[in-house]
Structure formats: structure tokens, C-alpha cells
Amino acid sequence: MIKIDWNEMPNLSELTLVVPTYNRQHYALRQMHFWSDSPVTLYVLDGTSTPINTEGLKGLGDNVHYYHIPKYLHDRIRKSLELIDTAYTAMLCDDEFFIPSSLEKCMEYLKNNKDIVACIGRCIGFYTTKSGIMATSMYNEMKGYRCFEGTTRERMIEHMNPYVCSTIYAVQRSEVWKKSMTILTKEKFSSPYIEELIFELATCYQGKSIVIEDLMWLRNKENKPIDFKEHNRKLQFDTWLKDPRYRKEVNLFYESMTTELSRIDGADKEIVLEDFKLAVEAYLDYCKNRRLLFSVATLRDQIMQFVPEKLKQKIHLARINHSWKPIMEEAQNIQKEGVHVDFNQLKEIVEFMEKNV
């Protein structure tokens, strides 16, 4: 039983959380039970071949909506576009958590700053071990991050170099989120990393965004990303963009993005294409600089590809036990660095996870 006082967060009644899930129904159920009877509207979009047993869905609050849609992710996301009728929306991974009071703060920020379209708090990663739930600070580049430039061109370029993925899991104004998701689900591409960039650029095109210094996002580092046969996870964006084998896809990428972005504000397509290409070039520069900066880590990752999976897991777990901290201790550490933490709600989430492993 969650002991969070939902009445203290009236803004949450204006928020929809969209949770796509595939072959992870245990996590989907955990997510539904966490948010059950809260003010939040929750849509779980399950692409698994068979639905969750109706017995498993009993006792959930009226705010929780489960849809079994055994189709590709894009089809499930498009379904959510028909359903959302709240002022604010955020996407949430099935195996991760948002701290409710931080969502409330993001919504309050958006309400008080009409020119901001997306707001997110800080993140820590967690991993369940025999010693308990361990954690480490993640995405430290989000500290103090804001994309406040005045024009669409300036925002897109600024956001791409140095690139900070800060809007795809952010609380957004629903009309902005819907437009970005409409563009994301328009086409399919061979590299899975393109969809994130499409969403981030579409959001920047529509307005300003910010990261507040409040712990909001608990990111699960235990599970591998969901893979689809349409995707090649080894195919990075910059490789895809320059490979002649994907020329038709690349041309479609530019044409589709230019068309859809220009529809948002009626801008000239030629100007939008020019601006968009500048943003892509900025991202390519970022990728190049990042590779140079993390060349040792890249080499390590290449070597690890040849390590058997069981041994790889043991190495990973040993590193976590050696360098990560118990989650509440890590939360205290990031608070010392200036990040506000709602320890009461974090404790509730940790206890909920421990009971629902």
C-alpha cells in the first residue's frame, strides 16, 4: 500500500503518463499498482502477444487504463494520441519510476512559465542486488541545463551540441508532446537512435525546455533495452547518416522532418530544411568530440562484445557493488550537490520496489 498523500499534489490530476510495454508484463503491473488511485491518468500500452490476465488487473483504480495492442511501438503510441485529454503528458518506461512530488514541481514550473514547453528533474540509476537497491547519479550533463534560445534554429542547434537528452521523458504540454510523437511515429528507420533525436528536435522546435534541480527520474539499469527486428542497435546515427546503403532512409528523414516541422508553425520548408541540417551537423560534431573524449570506454565496449553474456553480467554486477551506493545514500550525496530530494516519497518507492521485485 502506497502511503503517498496524493492530496498534496493537486496538479497531478492534469497529468497523463504513457507507458509502452512489451514482453515485460510484470513491470507493467507493478507500474499500474504504483499509480493506482492516484490523481494521474495512466495509459499502459502492451504490445505483448497475449494480454495480461483479467485477474491480474483486478483492484486497480479507475485512473489506470490498460490497452492490449500487439503491434509495433509506433501503433501503440498513436493510440495514446487519441486518448490523452489532460493539459500535460509524460512518457514513462515500464520498469522505472518518477517521484510524484517532482512531477508536481515540473507542472508548476510549466504553469508559471508559459514559454517553456518541457520540464524534467534530475536522474539516478538503480540496480537491485543481494545487498539491496544500489544507485548512482546519472546524466550529470543535465545539471543546470536549459534550452532557452529564442528561435527554432537556435534552439535546435544549441540542443544538439552538446547534446542533452532532456525532453523525451520530460513533463510536457500535451499539445507539444502530441505533435512531437506524431512526427516520431510517422516513419520507421533502421537505427533506433533516430526516434529519440526526432522527438528531441521536434520539442525544441516548438519551444524552450529546462531541467530543474529536483530528483524526479529513477532509471532502471538492470534490464536491456527492448529490441525490435526493425532496429539495429549497433547502428549509430552518424554511421547510418553517412552509409550509402541507407541513402533512401536518410532522404526520407530530411523530407519527413522538414514537412512535419513546417506544418507546426507554417514556416517555409526550405528555411526549415536549412535549419534542420545545421542542427544535424551540430549533433555530428558532438558525436565526433564525444568519441574522442570516450575513446577508452568505446574500446572497452568493443572488447565486451566478445565476452560471454554470463561473464559480462558478473563483471557488471561486480562494478556496481564496488562503486555504486545504497539508493538512499546516493540520494543524500546528490542532495549535497544541490539537488532537492523528496526522501519520504523516495523511501516509499524503494519499499514498493522491494516488495514487488
Side-chain angles (χ1 to χ4, degrees):
M1 184 71 177
I2 301 295
K3 298 174 188 172
I4 292 171
D5 186 353
W6 299 109
N7 294 322
E8 292 181 350
M9 297 165 285
N11 285 330
L12 293 185
S13 62
E14 300 178 65
L15 176 67
T16 293
L17 292 177
V18 176
V19 182
T21 186
Y22 178 71
N23 287 347
R24 300 206 299 204
Q25 292 177 334
H26 166 72
Y27 289 113
L29 277 166
R30 184 173 76 169
Q31 199 68 261
M32 287 188 274
H33 281 286
F34 179 81
W35 293 102
S36 180
D37 292 320
S38 75
V40 168
T41 300
L42 186 79
Y43 290 116
V44 174
L45 311 169
D46 186 5
T48 311
S49 58
T50 56
I52 293 174
N53 190 298
T54 51
E55 283 296 313
L57 299 172
K58 281 186 176 179
L60 293 171
D62 292 339
N63 64 308
V64 174
H65 308 275
Y66 171 75
Y67 287 87
H68 178 239
I69 308 171
K71 296 181 179 180
Y72 183 59
L73 176 63
H74 286 187
D75 299 297
R76 285 177 276 142
I77 293 293
R78 280 195 284 266
K79 177 64 177 178
S80 74
L81 302 179
E82 302 170 11
L83 299 168
I84 296 165
D85 61 1
T86 55
Y88 303 93
T89 303
M91 186 164 71
L92 172 59
C93 290
D94 57 6
D95 60 343
E96 300 180 352
F97 290 91
F98 287 152
I99 295 178
S101 62
S102 189
L103 292 173
E104 172 87 0
K105 285 184 180 179
C106 287
M107 294 173 70
E108 195 65 36
Y109 191 93
L110 291 173
K111 285 187 173 187
N112 293 331
N113 297 273
K114 301 301 182 185
D115 58 335
I116 310 296
V117 301
C119 179
I120 192 171
R122 296 290 298 278
C123 176
I124 59 174
F126 69 87
Y127 196 106
T128 304
T129 72
K130 290 179 181 178
S131 305
I133 300 173
M134 309 299 283
T136 190
S137 177
M138 290 190 70
Y139 310 131
N140 292 323
E141 64 272 17
M142 291 173 77
K143 182 178 176 62
Y145 182 77
R146 54 184 60 194
C147 186
F148 274 14
E149 295 298 329
T151 68
T152 56
R153 172 191 286 200
E154 290 169 337
R155 285 194 302 273
M156 286 194 298
I157 293 171
E158 179 191 20
H159 192 55
M160 288 296 109
N161 190 15
Y163 176 62
V164 180
C165 178
S166 59
T167 69
I168 198 162
Y169 294 108
V171 177
Q172 295 202 9
R173 301 185 190 280
S174 290
E175 67 271 16
V176 172
W177 193 91
K178 286 182 178 182
K179 287 175 184 174
S180 295
M181 278 300 178
T182 299
I183 297 172
L184 184 154
T185 58
K186 207 78 178 177
E187 308 291 347
K188 292 179 184 177
F189 299 102
S190 298
S191 171
Y193 309 106
I194 297 164
E195 293 174 355
E196 177 189 299
L197 293 175
I198 287 173
F199 188 90
E200 294 279 332
L201 282 164
T203 300
C204 286
Y205 189 91
Q206 295 179 76
K208 302 173 182 178
S209 60
I210 190 169
V211 179
I212 59 172
E213 294 303 294
D214 202 276
L215 179 62
M216 171 182 140
W217 181 15
L218 308 183
R219 177 129 231 208
N220 192 329
K221 300 304 292 180
E222 301 164 25
N223 299 317
K224 288 183 176 181
I226 296 294
D227 253 335
F228 298 99
K229 60 183 179 181
E230 293 89 349
H231 284 163
N232 176 8
R233 286 207 163 269
K234 294 180 181 177
L235 183 60
Q236 295 296 323
F237 174 81
D238 50 343
T239 305
W240 169 83
L241 194 74
K242 296 173 182 177
D243 192 324
R245 290 175 295 176
Y246 302 105
R247 187 168 293 136
K248 283 186 179 179
E249 280 192 21
V250 172
N251 290 339
L252 179 62
F253 170 67
Y254 281 117
E255 173 60 27
S256 177
M257 284 298 292
T258 302
T259 300
E260 296 302 321
L261 291 177
S262 63
R263 278 180 182 162
I264 290 173
D265 59 357
D268 184 275
K269 275 185 68 174
E270 290 300 316
I271 294 173
V272 174
L273 177 60
E274 181 184 328
D275 294 349
F276 186 70
K277 283 186 173 179
L278 288 172
V280 170
E281 285 298 322
Y283 182 70
L284 292 176
D285 287 342
Y286 163 78
C287 291
K288 183 179 177 182
N289 293 335
R290 192 172 183 273
R291 284 221 172 92
L292 290 171
L293 190 63
F294 297 105
S295 55
V296 174
T298 303
L299 178 61
R300 182 195 64 207
D301 291 342
Q302 289 172 346
I303 293 170
M304 288 296 284
Q305 289 179 27
F306 302 100
V307 175
E309 192 59 37
K310 284 188 177 179
L311 179 57
K312 197 185 294 183
Q313 281 293 101
K314 286 182 180 180
I315 293 170
H316 183 53
L317 193 56
R319 184 172 61 84
I320 286 169
N321 285 325
H322 175 71
S323 58
W324 291 30
K325 306 290 184 188
I327 189 167
M328 299 305 289
E329 184 181 331
E330 183 63 12
Q332 289 172 347
N333 289 339
I334 67 167
Q335 187 180 55
K336 290 173 186 174
E337 296 171 7
V339 179
H340 175 265
V341 179
D342 186 329
F343 283 99
N344 290 331
Q345 290 193 6
L346 177 60
K347 186 171 181 287
E348 284 293 321
I349 293 171
V350 170
E351 289 178 356
F352 179 80
M353 280 196 281
E354 288 172 343
K355 292 173 185 173
N356 298 273
V357 177

